[in-house]
């Protein structure tokens, strides 16, 4: 039995779950999310709790059981609380600024990077442009946008310059010793 799939998903107050034969829709105060699913799993809503069941015990069906329970839980959490990723920009002259629907990044190159902020995400800067907060209802799009911004200037191990996640630890290396 799937350890994740058998857990029921609690639906908080103000969140609506709508299930059609091929689509799962969750609507709440932070937005509306839609996910298609395979017919090997079934969703049962009762008394503010959603149970995910599977139709057979094949290996693929067991995998879908845990997958769609986790996706549903992320959707419910996203439309009720939302998800946030924090990026730290480290380096002399490195900074970020939000201008309308664009994120402008100065990362030590001759020209700035201009990144379009996707629909449904909110991007703010703090600490004099040294910290970027990406937030939204869809966990996948928040993580994807944060990784795209991070990939513009990956953190390097000698001085630690670049863009890193707030909870990420960079293994620092020792430079040249200058032995004669």
């Amino acid at each position: 039995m799937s350890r994740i799939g058998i857990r029921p998903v609690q639906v908080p107050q103000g969140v609506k779950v709508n299930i059609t034969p091929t689509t799962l829709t969750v609507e709440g105060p932070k937005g509306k999310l839609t996910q298609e699913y395979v017919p090997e799993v079934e969703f049962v809503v009762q008394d503010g709790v959603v149970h995910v069941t599977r139709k057979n015990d094949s290996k693929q069906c067991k995998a879908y059981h845990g997958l769609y329970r986790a996706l549903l839980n992320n959707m419910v959490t996203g439309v009720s609380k939302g998800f946030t990723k924090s990026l730290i920009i480290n380096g002399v002259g490195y900074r970020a600024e939000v201008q309308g629907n664009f994120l402008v990044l100065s990362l030590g190159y001759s020209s700035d990077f201009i990144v379009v902020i996707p629909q449904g995400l909110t991007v703010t800067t703090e600490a004099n442009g040294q910290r970027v907060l990406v937030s939204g209802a869809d966990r996948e799009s928040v993580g994807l946008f944060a990784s795209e911004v991070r990939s513009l200037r990956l953190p390097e191990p000698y001085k630690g310059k670049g863009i890193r996640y707030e909870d990420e630890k960079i293994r620092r290396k020792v430079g040249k010793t200058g032995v004669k």
Side-chain angles (χ1 to χ4, degrees):
M1 191 52 109
S2 171
R3 294 182 192 166
I4 294 176
I6 62 172
R7 293 186 196 157
V9 177
Q10 299 291 331
V11 180
Q13 196 71 22
V15 176
K16 288 186 263 180
V17 177
N18 186 18
I19 299 166
T20 63
T22 59
T23 309
L24 184 65
T25 305
V26 180
E27 191 171 352
K30 298 265 184 184
K32 180 179 179 181
L33 296 174
T34 305
Q35 175 70 45
E36 292 185 5
Y37 65 93
V38 295
E40 281 87 4
V41 293
E42 294 176 336
F43 297 93
V44 179
V45 181
Q46 49 180 266
D47 301 328
V49 176
V50 180
H51 294 279
V52 182
T53 59
R54 61 178 183 248
K55 292 186 178 177
N56 58 43
D57 284 337
S58 68
K59 190 170 185 176
Q60 188 64 48
C61 193
K62 288 179 181 179
Y64 285 145
H65 188 209
L67 169 74
Y68 284 111
R69 189 269 176 202
L71 289 174
L72 174 64
N73 189 46
N74 286 340
M75 289 168 68
V76 169
T77 304
V79 298
S80 59
K81 298 175 189 170
F83 292 101
T84 302
K85 281 273 192 187
S86 180
L87 298 166
I88 304 296
I89 300 174
N90 188 13
V92 177
Y94 289 17
R95 66 182 176 279
E97 182 182 358
V98 177
Q99 295 177 352
N101 199 26
F102 300 103
L103 177 64
V104 180
L105 298 157
S106 299
L107 300 174
Y109 294 111
S110 60
S111 59
D112 295 342
F113 287 101
I114 299 174
V115 183
V116 177
I117 300 170
Q119 192 75 15
L121 294 184
T122 306
V123 178
T124 57
T125 58
E126 295 178 350
N128 201 15
Q130 301 299 307
R131 186 171 182 213
V132 179
L133 291 173
V134 180
S135 59
D138 188 13
R139 185 174 190 174
E140 180 184 5
S141 63
V142 168
L144 181 65
F145 183 73
S147 70
E148 287 174 358
V149 171
R150 181 183 177 274
S151 69
L152 296 175
R153 188 71 165 202
L154 296 172
E156 56 96 20
Y158 294 102
K159 293 185 180 179
K161 292 167 47 172
I163 303 173
R164 65 177 174 88
Y165 296 116
E166 187 173 35
D167 56 355
E168 181 180 15
K169 301 287 186 225
I170 305 298
R171 291 186 61 189
R172 301 293 295 268
K173 291 183 178 178
V174 180
K176 293 182 179 178
T177 57
V179 177
K180 292 184 181 183

